[in-house]
Amino acid sequence: QSVLTQPPSVSGAPGQRVTISCAGSSSNIGAHFDVQWYQQLPGKAPKLLIYGNSNRPSGVPDRFSASKSGTSASLAITGLQAEDEADYYCQSYDSSLSAYVVFGGGTKLTVL
Amino acid sequence: QITLKESGPTLVKPTQTLTLTCTFSGFSLSTTRVGVGWIRQPPGKALEWLALIYWDDDRRYSPSLRNRLTITKDTSKNQVLLTMTDMDPVDTATYYCVHRPRLMTGTTYFDYWGQGTLVTVSS
């Protein structure tokens, strides 16, 4: 049971826009801690996609964007491409006694 | 260029202790606010953060595994070790070593990842 909740799967056709949600609580996202997003291509190590809620590391296309509001966050991918098919994970910091670094359960993006 | 590489046994028996080594380059673990951590991923499952050690030897552990984990660093060798006691088949996973950049307190993320090492727990 992950501390952050993500939908197990989302899908979209090439060129479309998809969003992936990440629900947290008052001890993590709602406590104003930053949210990060990672992309894991099949058989590969995860890669940092978004940091500090909405910042893209160098080399990440601007088709990827993210936002945070209240106790949740979301990742948006526009102009969907076949190579975007991957697992996506959100991550935050938790101040409760039960956690420290927390991840979502991951969302499998399928490009139809 | 920052790189990290995990090494250790690929197969351990139940109840044994696992020791993994992360050998890194391109940064120093004596640099203020830098950290190195471990994250694992069981086959077909989600990422799970395990432990993190900071430049000043501050150590943080996953609450659910705290009693079984020890993370240490050897700054002179550019290595971080993770030991996990009492291994069980449910601990079968790919174990990743990760770099935490120079961030202010209260936020953490991992901008560089090792390739991961698959550890299987089986008798």
Side-chain angles (χ1 to χ4, degrees), chain B residues 8 10 15 27-28 38 40 66 81 86 88 95 105 111 114:
Chain B
T10 58
T15 75
F27 69 96
S28 172
W38 288 91
R40 72 176 180 180
R66 181 186 310 275
L81 274 65
D86 195 24
D88 183 272
Y95 288 74
T105 302
D111 56 352

Side-chain angles (χ1 to χ4, degrees), chain B residues 75-91:
Chain B
T75 305
S76 65
K77 292 184 178 179
N78 281 352
Q79 290 183 332
V80 169
L81 274 65
L82 180 77
T83 61
M84 180 180 291
T85 61
D86 195 24
M87 293 292 285
D88 183 272
V90 300
D91 296 313

